[in-house]
C-alpha cells in the first residue's frame, strides 16, 4: 500500500469517526427529546381524560363514557382507551381490538413502549382525594419512530457526501506530499543497486526537502567510505595470507616440528605480534616435550623400583600404577575398571579376602582413606605377606600410596628378637641355676631325711607328710622359674592381640629377679589393681621390658655401685594413656647421646657386649603399638618412659595384623 493511499485512507477514517460521533450525538439527543415529549404527552392526555370523565364515572353514566371514548380514540395517536371502576371492572373502552385484548402493563419508559410501539399509561380518577376508578390508555409511538429514522437517514447521507469530498481533497494533498518521498525512494533503490553517486531532486523548504538534502550527503559519504573500505579489504586479504602462513607454522609446531623457522617476527603490526606469539608457543611446546620425556623417564624409574607406587588424583581416581604395584595386585586389578578409586580398590580387596585379619571392614576402609600424614602402616596380604605402606597427600597431585614388602625383614626381626631372648636367657642361666639349686637342695635334704627315718624304722606318717608337702612346694617354685623362662623363650607369631600389661610386668619382673638377686640388685614393681588392656604382640613387648631391665642392670654394674636398684612404676588410664616408667640407679645418660639413643647399631657398651639394636627394636615395637618411648636422665640414674593407648572393651580391631 502506497504512502498516498495510506494518507487518503487515514483522512477518510478520521472523517468517518467524526461523522459517526456527530450522528450518534444527534440521534441520541433527538431520540431522547422526542421520547420524553411523547411520554409527557401520554401522561397529560390521561389526566385530561380523567378529569373529563370523572362526573360520568361517579354517576355511572355509561353512555357518556362510551361517547367520550369514541371521540377520543378517533385521534390517530391514541391506540386504545379503557375506564375501570375501583373494583377493576371495565366500565367502557374503545380503540384497536388487539390492543384491548392484550393484558395491560404500564410502561415505565419510552424504551419499554418501543416493544409494541404503544405507550401504556394508567391514571386514577380522583375527586377530592377519593378514587372512583382508573383510566388506561395507549399512545402510539410510530410517528416519533419514523421521525427518528428519517433524521438518521439524513445524517448518514450528509456523512457520505462529506467523506467523498474529504477523499478527493486527501488524494490531491497526498499526491503533493508524496512527490518528494517518491524521489527519496528512487534514490534509495539506486544506492541499493550500488550506484552510490546517485543524487535526488530537492524541492521546497519543508522537512522532506531537508531529508532529501541529508540523503544526498549520506550518499556522498557512503561513496567516500566505500573507497576506504575497499583499500582496507585489500590490506586485510594480504594479512590473511600471512596469517594462513603462521597458522601453518602453528599446525607444524603442534605436530612436534620444533625446528622450523617462524616468519614475520620483525613486523611491527598485529601480524608480527602473532608471529612472536607463535615463537612463544613453539618454545612452550619444546618445554612440554621435554617435560613429557622427563615424565616418561620418571615412569620408567618408578617401574624399576621394587616398592609399589600408586598415585590417585584430586578426584580420587587412579593416575599412575608402577610395574611392582600392577604385578603384586594383578588379580585385584582385573576386577576393577581402568579409573578405579582407592576406596573401590580396598573394598574389592576385602571382598576377595586379599587383606587378612580385618574384623571391621567398613571402619578399616575409612581409617585407610584418612591416612594422609605420611606415617608407615603395616598391612597383611594374602597369603602370608606383610606390606609397610605410606600414604601422603601432595598438593596439586592427590594421594600418593607406596607399599614395600617387609615380610622377610619382619621374619629377620623376629629371629633377631628371638636370638636376643636366647642370649638374655643365656645371661640369666647363672641366676636361674642358683634359683633352681635352692629348691633342689631343699628337696634333696627332705628326701634324704625321709630315707634315713625309713631305714631306722622311725618314720611316722605325719613326719613324711610334712616333708612331702615341702618337696611339693619347692617343686612348684622350680616349675614357676622354668615356666617363666619357657614363656619368655617362645617365638613371636606376628599377630597383634589384646593383653593385660599387668601380666607382662609381673612375669618379666619375676623372671628378672632370679638374675638380679645374684648381682645384689633389687627390683621393685608398683602396679595398679585395675587392668590395662593394650593391643600388640605380648612376647615382643616383654622383650622390650627385659631389654630395659638388662640395660639398667648393665648401667648399675658399670657404675660400680655396691647396691643397685631398679624400679618399675605404672599409672593406668591416664590422660595420655597407660604410662610405664623404668628407673635405675646407674648414673644416668650423658646429654650428648640422648638424641642417638634409639638409632640402630648405636651402643655405649664395649666390643662384644652389645649390638646397638635393643633400643632400636624397642622403639619400633612401641611405635607399632601406637605408643611412644622416651628416655631422660635423673639425679642418680636413667628413666625410660613408655606410653601406650588403651584398647579396652571398645576395641574394633582385635586380631589385627601387627602394625
Amino acid at each position: 500500500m502506497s504512502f498516498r493511499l495510506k494518507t487518503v485512507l487515514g483522512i477518510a477514517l478520521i472523517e468517518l469517526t467524526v461523522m459517526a460521533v456527530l450522528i450518534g450525538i444527534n440521534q441520541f439527543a433527538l431520540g431522547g427529546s422526542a421520547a420524553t415529549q411523547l411520554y409527557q404527552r401520554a401522561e397529560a392526555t390521561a389526566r385530561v381524560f380523567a378529569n373529563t370523565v370523572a362526573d360520568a364515572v361517579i354517576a355511572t353514566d355509561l353512555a357518556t363514557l362510551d361517547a367520550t371514548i369514541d371521540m377520543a380514540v378517533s385521534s390517530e395517536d391514541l391506540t386504545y382507551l379503557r375506564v375501570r371502576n375501583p373494583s377493576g371492572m371495565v366500565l367502557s373502552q374503545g380503540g384497536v381490538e388487539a390492543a384491548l385484548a392484550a393484558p395491560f402493563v404500564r410502561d415505565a419508559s419510552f424504551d419499554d413502549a418501543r416493544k409494541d410501539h404503544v405507550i401504556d399509561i394508567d391514571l386514577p380518577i380522583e375527586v377530592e382525594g377519593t378514587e372512583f376508578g382508573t383510566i388506561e390508555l395507549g399512545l402510539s409511538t410510530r410517528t416519533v419512530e419514523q421521525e427518528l429514522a428519517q433524521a438518521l437517514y439524513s445524517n448518514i447521507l450528509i456523512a457520505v457526501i462529506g467523506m467523498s469530498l474529504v477523499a478527493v481533497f486527501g488524494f490531491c494533498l497526498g499526491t503533493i506530499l508524496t512527490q518528494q518521498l517518491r524521489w527519496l525512494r528512487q534514490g534509495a533503490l539506486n544506492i541499493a543497486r550500488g550506484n552510490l553517486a546517485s543524487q535526488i531532486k530537492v524541492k521546497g523548504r519543508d522537512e522532506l526537502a531537508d531529508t532529501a538534502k541529508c540523503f544526498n550527503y549520506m550518499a556522498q559519504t557512503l561513496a567516500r567510505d566505500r573507497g576506504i573500505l575497499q583499500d582496507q579489504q585489500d590490506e586485510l586479504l594480504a594479512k590473511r595470507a600471512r596469517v594462513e602462513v603462521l597458522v601453518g607454522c602453528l599446525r607444524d609446531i603442534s605436530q612436534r616440528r620444533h625446528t622450523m623457522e617462524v616468519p614475520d617476527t620483525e613486523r611491527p603490526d598485529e601480524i608480527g605480534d602473532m608471529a612472536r606469539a607463535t615463537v612463544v608457543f613453539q618454545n612452550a611446546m619444546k618445554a612440554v616435550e621435554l617435560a613429557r620425556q622427563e615424565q616418561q623417564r620418571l615412569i620408567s624409574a618408578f617401574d624399576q623400583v621394587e616398592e609399589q607406587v600408586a598415585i590417585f588424583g584430586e578426584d580420587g581416581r587412579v593416575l599412575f600404577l608402577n610395574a611392582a604395584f600392577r604385578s603384586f595386585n594383578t588379580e585385584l586389578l582385573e576386577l576393577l575398571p581402568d579409573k578405579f578409586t582407592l576406596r573401590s580398590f580396598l573394598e574389592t580387596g576385602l571382598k576377595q579376602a586379599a587383606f587378612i585379619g580385618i574384623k571391621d571392614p567398613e571402619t578399616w576402609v575409612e581409617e585407610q582413606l584418612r591416612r594422609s600424614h605420611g606415617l608407615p602402616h603395616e598391612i597383611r596380604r594374602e597369603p602370608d605377606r606383610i606390606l609397610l605402606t605410606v600414604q601422603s597427600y601432595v598438593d596439586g597431585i592427590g594421594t600418593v600410596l607406596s607399599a614395600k614388602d617387609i615380610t622377610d625383614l619382619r621374619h629377620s626381626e623376629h629371629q633377631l628378637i628371638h636370638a636376643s631372648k636366647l642370649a638374655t636367657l643365656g645371661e640369666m642361666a647363672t641366676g636361674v641355676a642358683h634359683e633352681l639349686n635352692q629348691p633342689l637342695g631343699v628337696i634333696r635334704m627332705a628326701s634324704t631325711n625321709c630315707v634315713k627315718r625309713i631305714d631306722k624304722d622311725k618314720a611316722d606318717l605325719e613326719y613324711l607328710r610334712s616333708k612331702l608337702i615341702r618337696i611339693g612346694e619347692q617343686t612348684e617354685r622350680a616349675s614357676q622359674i622354668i615356666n617363666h623362662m619357657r614363656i619368655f623363650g617362645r617365638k613371636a607369631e606376628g599377630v597383634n592381640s589384646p593383653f593385660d600389661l599387668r601380666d607382662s610386668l609381673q612375669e618379666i619382673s619375676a623372671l628378672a629377679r632370679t638374675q638380679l638377686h645374684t648381682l645384689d640388685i633389687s627390683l621393685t614393681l608398683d602396679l595398679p589393681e585395675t587392668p590395662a588392656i593394650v593391643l600388640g604382640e605380648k612376647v615382643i613387648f616383654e622383650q622390650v621390658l627385659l631389654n630395659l631391665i638388662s640395660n639398667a642392670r648393665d648401667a648399675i654394674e658399670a657404675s660400680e655401685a655396691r647396691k643397685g636398684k631398679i624400679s618399675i612404676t605404672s599409672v593406668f588410664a591416664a590422660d595420655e594413656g597407660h604410662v610405664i616408667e623404668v628407673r635405675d640407679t646407674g648414673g644416668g645418660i650423658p646429654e650428648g647421646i640422648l638424641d642417638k639413643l634409639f638409632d640402630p647399631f648405636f651402643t655405649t657398651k664395649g666390643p662384644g657386649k652389645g649390638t646397638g639394636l635393643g633400643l632400636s627394636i624397642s622403639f619400633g615395637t612401641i611405635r607399632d603399638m601406637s605408643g611412644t618411648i622416651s628416655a631422660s636422665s635423673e639425679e642418680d640414674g636413667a628413666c625410660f618412659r613408655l606410653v601406650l593407648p588403651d584398647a579396652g572393651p571398645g576395641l574394633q580391631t582385635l586380631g589385627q595384623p601387627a602394625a
Side-chain angles (χ1 to χ4, degrees):
M1 185 180 294
S2 64
F3 182 77
R4 179 172 59 182
L5 181 57
K6 290 179 180 179
T7 302
V8 174
L9 292 179
I11 296 174
L13 182 60
I14 294 172
E15 177 65 18
L16 177 61
T17 303
V18 172
M19 294 302 295
V21 172
L22 292 177
I23 292 172
I25 293 173
N26 188 25
Q27 288 296 115
F28 179 77
L30 180 61
S33 176
T36 301
Q37 292 177 2
L38 184 61
Y39 198 81
Q40 292 175 353
R41 176 185 171 190
E43 289 181 343
T45 301
R47 289 192 194 95
V48 171
F49 190 77
N51 292 330
T52 303
V53 299
D55 293 338
V57 171
I58 293 172
T60 316
D61 187 357
L62 298 179
T64 302
L65 287 175
D66 292 338
T68 304
I69 289 173
D70 291 338
M71 183 178 62
V73 297
S74 61
S75 171
E76 294 181 358
D77 294 335
L78 197 60
T79 303
Y80 71 90
L81 185 60
R82 182 185 296 113
V83 179
R84 297 179 184 271
N85 63 8
S87 61
M89 185 180 68
V90 177
L91 298 178
S92 179
Q93 62 182 5
V96 179
E97 294 295 334
L100 291 173
F104 176 82
V105 178
R106 179 182 175 86
D107 291 327
S109 64
F110 181 76
D111 292 334
D112 294 339
R114 297 185 69 172
K115 296 177 182 179
D116 56 357
H117 306 289
V118 176
I119 297 178
D120 298 307
I121 295 294
D122 63 337
L123 200 68
I125 301 172
E126 293 181 342
V127 177
E128 295 181 358
T130 301
E131 184 176 338
F132 293 98
T134 303
I135 296 294
E136 297 177 356
L137 63 83
L139 189 64
S140 175
T141 62
R142 293 188 183 277
T143 303
V144 174
E145 291 177 359
Q146 291 175 357
E147 292 176 356
L148 291 175
Q150 183 63 35
L152 177 61
Y153 174 77
S154 301
N155 290 331
I156 291 174
L157 180 60
I158 294 172
V160 170
I161 295 173
M163 289 179 61
S164 300
L165 294 175
V166 167
V168 173
F169 289 113
F171 180 81
C172 297
L173 179 61
T175 302
I176 296 172
L177 293 176
T178 57
Q179 181 64 40
Q180 190 72 62
L181 290 177
R182 289 197 301 273
W183 293 340
L184 285 172
R185 177 176 177 273
Q186 186 61 41
L189 290 175
N190 292 335
I191 291 177
R193 297 187 183 102
N195 183 13
L196 299 181
S198 175
Q199 297 289 298
I200 63 174
K201 296 180 181 180
V202 179
K203 186 177 182 180
R205 298 180 180 179
D206 54 6
E207 292 82 356
L208 290 176
D210 294 338
T211 302
K213 293 177 182 178
C214 292
F215 182 88
N216 290 335
Y217 177 75
M218 179 188 69
Q220 295 172 0
T221 303
L222 287 174
R224 182 180 66 252
D225 293 344
R226 182 177 184 178
I228 297 173
L229 288 175
Q230 185 64 43
D231 296 339
Q232 292 178 347
Q233 182 181 5
D234 296 339
E235 182 180 358
L236 287 175
L237 289 175
K239 289 182 177 180
R240 176 184 175 182
R242 302 310 303 162
V243 168
E244 290 178 351
V245 173
L246 293 176
V247 169
C249 293
L250 287 171
R251 183 168 49 252
D252 293 339
I253 292 171
S254 64
Q255 296 173 358
R256 297 185 176 86
R257 300 174 186 172
H258 306 312
T259 58
M260 63 180 303
E261 186 71 22
V262 179
D264 299 327
T265 55
E266 302 300 327
R267 290 182 58 156
D269 56 3
E270 58 273 9
I271 300 298
D273 294 338
M274 184 175 179
R276 289 184 286 273
T278 303
V279 173
V280 173
F281 175 69
Q282 184 181 36
N283 295 332
M285 289 298 294
K286 290 180 181 179
V288 169
E289 180 63 21
L290 292 176
R292 187 189 65 80
Q293 294 175 0
E294 289 294 329
Q295 182 184 26
Q296 190 62 39
R297 284 195 291 269
L298 183 61
I299 292 174
S300 299
F302 272 124
D303 284 338
Q304 297 301 319
V305 299
E306 296 181 358
E307 187 173 356
Q308 302 176 37
V309 178
I311 302 176
F312 296 88
E314 297 281 358
D315 60 351
R317 300 182 181 276
V318 66
L319 297 178
F320 170 74
L321 302 174
N322 73 339
F325 189 96
R326 294 193 300 270
S327 176
F328 188 85
N329 299 281
T330 301
E331 295 181 359
L332 285 183
L333 295 178
E334 290 177 352
L335 302 175
L336 292 168
D338 293 337
K339 293 296 182 179
F340 63 89
T341 62
L342 179 57
R343 178 185 292 275
S344 61
F345 174 77
L346 296 174
E347 292 175 349
T348 302
L350 289 172
K351 292 178 181 178
Q352 300 300 318
F355 301 106
I356 304 174
I358 308 301
K359 299 298 182 180
D360 188 349
E362 294 184 0
T363 303
W364 181 80
V365 169
E366 295 301 328
E367 290 176 352
Q368 298 305 310
L369 294 176
R370 288 195 297 268
R371 287 178 52 220
S372 59
H373 41 64
L375 297 179
H377 179 77
E378 288 187 12
I379 296 178
R380 292 181 68 88
R381 289 291 300 270
E382 191 275 333
D384 57 353
R385 309 308 295 174
I386 302 174
L387 300 182
L388 182 64
T389 65
V390 176
Q391 187 169 311
S392 304
Y393 178 79
V394 180
D395 289 338
I397 296 178
T399 301
V400 178
L401 174 65
S402 62
K404 184 176 183 180
D405 192 338
I406 59 169
T407 306
D408 297 337
L409 177 62
R410 281 290 178 260
H411 289 167
S412 300
E413 288 180 353
H414 290 163
Q415 291 175 359
L416 181 60
I417 291 172
H418 189 63
S420 177
K421 288 183 181 182
L422 296 179
T424 303
L425 289 175
E427 293 177 1
M428 298 171 60
T430 302
V432 171
H434 175 74
E435 288 293 321
L436 288 176
N437 281 333
Q438 290 184 3
L440 289 175
V442 173
I443 293 172
R444 184 175 60 252
M445 291 178 63
S447 61
T448 300
N449 290 335
C450 288
V451 171
K452 289 179 179 180
R453 287 285 186 111
I454 293 173
D455 290 342
K456 294 178 180 181
D457 199 17
K458 294 181 179 182
D460 58 87
L461 293 178
E462 186 61 29
Y463 177 81
L464 294 176
R465 183 176 181 277
S466 64
K467 292 300 180 180
L468 291 174
I469 291 175
R470 189 172 185 183
I471 290 173
E473 291 175 349
Q474 295 304 314
T475 303
E476 178 64 23
R477 179 183 175 186
S479 175
Q480 289 179 355
I481 295 173
I482 295 172
N483 189 48
H484 287 162
M485 295 184 67
R486 181 183 61 80
I487 294 174
F488 179 72
R490 70 183 185 271
K491 288 188 176 181
E493 298 177 355
V495 177
N496 285 346
S497 60
F499 64 91
D500 193 343
L501 286 177
R502 296 182 304 170
D503 296 339
S504 296
L505 291 171
Q506 289 172 348
E507 292 173 2
I508 293 301
S509 298
L511 184 62
R513 284 194 184 99
T514 60
Q515 181 190 26
L516 298 176
H517 180 69
T518 61
L519 301 175
D520 202 14
I521 299 174
S522 65
L523 175 61
T524 60
L525 176 62
D526 181 13
L527 280 178
E529 296 181 359
T530 57
I533 306 300
V534 295
L535 182 65
E537 196 164 0
K538 183 179 178 182
V539 175
I540 299 179
F541 176 72
E542 290 175 352
Q543 176 64 30
V544 172
L545 295 177
L546 195 58
N547 283 342
L548 297 179
I549 295 173
S550 298
N551 288 341
R553 177 203 65 196
D554 294 340
I556 293 173
E557 288 181 337
S559 67
E560 298 181 355
R562 291 185 178 181
K563 290 185 177 182
K565 181 180 179 181
I566 301 174
S567 63
I568 301 176
T569 59
S570 57
V571 178
F572 297 157
D575 292 340
E576 50 189 334
H578 303 309
V579 181
I580 302 171
E581 294 181 341
V582 180
R583 290 182 172 84
D584 61 60
T585 57
I589 306 171
E591 290 292 336
I593 66 172
L594 274 175
D595 56 344
K596 303 177 182 178
L597 205 58
F598 297 101
D599 292 346
F601 304 107
F602 176 80
T603 180
T604 58
K605 299 177 182 179
K609 293 186 178 181
T611 62
L613 293 175
L615 288 179
S616 175
I617 293 175
S618 299
F619 181 86
T621 300
I622 299 303
R623 181 199 62 197
D624 292 344
M625 295 175 66
S626 300
T628 59
I629 180 172
S630 59
S632 61
S633 284
E634 297 186 344
E635 184 176 355
D636 57 351
C639 175
F640 285 84
R641 190 169 190 267
L642 285 71
V643 180
L644 295 172
D646 181 68
L651 182 65
Q652 298 295 326
T653 55
L654 293 181
Q656 181 174 312

